[in-house]
Amino acid sequence: DTGVSQDPRHKITKRGQNVTFRCDPISEHNRLYWYRQTLGQGPEFLTYFQNEAQLEKSRLLSDRFSAERPKGSFSTLEIQRTEQGDSAMYLCASSLGGLAGMAYEQYFGPGTRLTVT
Amino acid sequence: KNQVEQSPQSLIILEGKNCTLQCNYTVSPFSNLRWYKQDTGRGPVSLTIMTFSENTKSNGRYTATLDADTKQSSLHITASQLSDSASYICVVSAPNNAGNMLTFGGGTRLMVKP
């Protein structure tokens, strides 16, 4: 399977615990995105990387959230001291990128569903 | 604030019928508009991408239209199938300093009944 993969698919954790999610993008894609989606809503942008550089972060990304892409390949999203409001689907997407004005297709992974009890 | 509004929020149609989903946006400047299909519990899958210079694009039974002047788009599904049951999300891309930022609509939840 050469698509975007995410692990785990489901995570249940108690409030206050830390969780880490992993995303493996399509191998030749230099851009990687993280989104959060709550039930019945569209995804909301969290952050994005071009290669290993984190180029943009949403205001939604509080200081409890941190994302890394150390070698420009896979990425991790960590949530510290989880709160019930963090319960959501966390989606990862990847794309090619670099040329201004080009509409690069984003390919989404299956998501990690987080439930904070 | 950049927004993408979709209507209706939900729709039920009979198998074989056609339907049209609407998307209005206020995102500016505008780079491109995308329609995604999202099955329950899965990630979104792209159906079409249109730049401001395109006013229609088809992908099989899916046809998207774009009016960049009125900032409206529609997705028309022809001869619906049970497998079309999903959420359809309109996404508008705006260029920014770091790249293209996507603004997602809330989606239209379509149910196709036999």
Side-chain angles (χ1 to χ4, degrees):
Chain A
D1 187 349
T2 57
V4 179
S5 61
Q6 293 186 244
D7 182 69
R9 295 291 308 277
H10 303 274
K11 178 71 177 178
I12 300 174
T13 190
K14 291 185 177 179
R15 189 176 52 188
Q17 297 296 305
N18 299 342
V19 294
T20 299
F21 310 141
R22 176 179 170 126
C23 171
D24 286 272
I26 293 172
S27 58
E28 61 267 29
H29 285 178
N30 57 344
R31 288 187 175 174
L32 186 148
Y33 307 79
W34 285 100
Y35 296 90
R36 182 173 68 187
Q37 185 176 27
T38 53
L39 203 61
Q41 301 296 316
E44 296 174 292
F45 171 79
L46 291 178
T47 188
Y48 116 88
F49 293 83
Q50 179 147 318
N51 300 312
E52 66 276 7
Q54 188 173 17
L55 296 185
E56 190 149 354
K57 292 195 293 185
S58 161
R59 287 172 294 175
L60 294 175
L61 212 66
S62 76
D63 55 7
R64 296 185 298 106
F65 287 70
S66 62
E68 294 182 343
R69 195 184 183 197
K71 298 181 180 178
S73 56
F74 74 91
S75 175
T76 57
L77 178 68
E78 181 183 16
I79 309 174
Q80 296 182 326
R81 305 182 303 281
T82 52
E83 302 173 355
Q84 286 186 323
D86 298 331
S87 296
M89 173 80 88
Y90 289 85
L91 291 164
C92 175
S94 72
S95 76
L96 296 169
L99 293 178
M102 288 289 292
Y104 293 101
E105 185 61 71
Q106 289 191 20
Y107 295 86
F108 284 82
T112 294
R113 180 165 296 284
L114 173 66
T115 302
V116 182
T117 61
Chain B
K1 179 183 176 182
N2 288 333
Q3 287 189 317
V4 179
E5 302 288 341
Q6 292 188 241
S7 62
Q9 283 190 326
S10 61
L11 182 62
I12 300 174
I13 62 174
L14 294 176
E15 186 179 12
K17 297 297 186 182
N18 304 335
C19 66
T20 300
L21 315 180
Q22 301 291 341
C23 174
N24 296 337
Y25 63 93
T26 60
V27 176
S28 182
F30 167 85
S31 178
N32 56 74
L33 186 144
R34 311 161 187 229
W35 282 93
Y36 282 87
K37 177 186 179 187
Q38 185 174 24
D39 293 311
T40 301
R42 307 290 294 271
V45 175
S46 177
L47 296 175
T48 62
I49 299 179
M50 290 182 290
T51 64
F52 65 87
S53 61
E54 297 176 290
N55 55 26
T56 187
K57 184 163 280 189
S58 291
N59 177 1
R61 294 180 297 102
Y62 301 102
T63 299
T65 65
L66 172 65
D67 185 333
D69 292 330
T70 61
K71 295 184 167 57
Q72 295 180 324
S73 176
S74 66
L75 180 70
H76 186 74
I77 304 175
T78 304
S80 61
Q81 300 176 359
L82 298 179
S83 60
D84 292 332
S85 296
S87 286
Y88 291 84
I89 306 175
C90 175
V91 186
V92 179
S93 174
N96 59 18
N97 291 336
N100 284 318
M101 176 174 292
L102 300 186
T103 302
F104 290 76
T108 292
R109 190 177 302 276
L110 175 66
M111 182 179 296
V112 180
K113 289 192 168 182

